[in-house]
Amino acid sequence: GAVVSQHPSRVICKSGTSVKIECRSLDFQATTMFWYRQFPKQSLMLMATSNEGSKATYEQGVEKDKFLINHASLTLSTLTVTSAHPEDSSFYICSARAGGNDYEQYFGPGTRLTVT
Amino acid sequence: GQNIDQPTEMTATEGAIVQINCTYQTSGFNGLFWYQQHAGEAPTFLSYNVLDGLEEKGRFSSFLSRSKGYSYLLLKELQMKDSASYLCAVLDSNYQLIWGAGTKLIIKP
């Protein structure tokens, strides 16, 4: 089946620093990748959708200058949380879609970010 | 607007059967997904329905009625490991996934 990896799985950083999270599709080419955030005991919240080679589409209320998304290839997308603050502490999950008639989203294992 | 409703929490007994309902109002419909999510983990795919009817896959079955905007996920022979959140998501006319808030299922011995 389609496998998506995410790195790192956990990261702790100091307030004001930036953190980069990588999302890779290991055995398929992902035309579209999605970034979600999930706070404890809450549902998934879509942050942005990115298509390879084009700018990401951000959901309302998500600061594009704070959450930088790069989808440089069909197998890699990165999310950079810039100038992180404690309120950015959350579970960040990426998913990837192969495209064509395959609309299933294959999820990465998630990244737990803690900002101290 | 687009809306997906599912119960917030359900409790069931080990070995029993539970049905988790999902109703939706979306701009267009291109299929409905069910995902399972254990605490602290990413969602995993359970089922995809695009035509009316029941799809059975082992202990899990998913039903869809497009005319009623309704789906359910049926879990049989419940096991403790089935304790998780179950997410209903609809693919709308733009092929974007609209997510429900999820149903937390608690299994008791």
Side-chain angles (χ1 to χ4, degrees):
Chain A
V3 180
V4 176
S5 70
Q6 237 179 287
H7 178 79
S9 57
R10 291 179 181 272
V11 58
I12 300 173
C13 70
K14 292 187 177 181
S15 188
T17 62
S18 295
V19 173
K20 180 185 283 188
I21 302 170
E22 291 188 351
C23 177
R24 293 180 185 272
S25 56
L26 299 184
D27 51 2
F28 68 101
Q29 292 187 326
T31 56
T32 307
M33 286 186 167
F34 304 86
W35 286 96
Y36 293 87
R37 180 168 52 182
Q38 187 173 36
F39 292 106
K41 300 185 179 181
Q42 295 187 23
S43 188
L44 295 172
M45 290 177 51
L46 180 64
M47 298 176 67
T49 302
S50 74
N51 292 296
E52 184 264 340
S54 61
K55 290 183 178 180
T57 301
Y58 289 80
E59 295 299 301
Q60 194 171 7
V62 178
E63 301 173 57
K64 62 180 180 181
D65 293 331
K66 179 170 180 63
F67 299 99
L68 302 179
I69 292 172
N70 185 287
H71 191 165
S73 77
L74 285 172
T75 59
L76 174 64
S77 176
T78 61
L79 167 68
T80 302
V81 183
T82 62
S83 187
H85 291 288
E87 57 264 31
D88 298 323
S89 298
S90 187
F91 191 45
Y92 291 86
I93 311 172
C94 75
S95 68
R97 200 165 70 190
N101 292 322
D102 184 358
Y103 295 104
E104 180 179 344
Q105 289 187 22
Y106 302 95
F107 284 87
T111 297
R112 176 78 56 193
L113 170 64
T114 303
V115 184
T116 61
Chain B
Q2 311 211 83
N3 194 49
I4 296 183
D5 289 316
Q6 49 180 134
T8 304
E9 187 174 296
M10 298 182 70
T11 302
T13 305
E14 190 177 15
I17 299 173
V18 71
Q19 177 175 310
I20 302 174
N21 296 324
C22 171
T23 58
Y24 61 89
Q25 299 98 37
T26 57
S27 55
F29 178 85
N30 282 298
L32 185 145
F33 290 87
W34 283 97
Y35 283 85
Q36 179 191 60
Q37 186 179 25
H38 285 99
E41 299 180 11
T44 55
F45 170 82
L46 289 178
S47 67
Y48 172 64
N49 294 65
V50 66
L51 299 176
D52 290 350
L54 185 68
E55 297 260 351
E56 297 186 73
K57 191 184 295 185
R59 295 189 298 115
F60 292 8
S61 303
S62 56
F63 171 84
L64 175 67
S65 168
R66 289 172 295 172
S67 62
K68 295 181 179 178
Y70 168 70
S71 172
Y72 68 72
L73 180 69
L74 190 71
L75 293 76
K76 302 177 184 177
E77 301 169 17
L78 286 170
Q79 302 174 9
M80 297 303 292
K81 67 179 182 179
D82 297 329
S83 292
S85 287
Y86 291 86
L87 308 173
C88 171
V90 171
L91 207 57
D92 71 5
S93 57
N94 294 319
Y95 293 94
Q96 297 299 317
L97 264 184
I98 310 300
W99 292 88
T103 298
K104 181 179 180 181
L105 177 63
I106 300 169
I107 309 297
K108 296 186 174 180

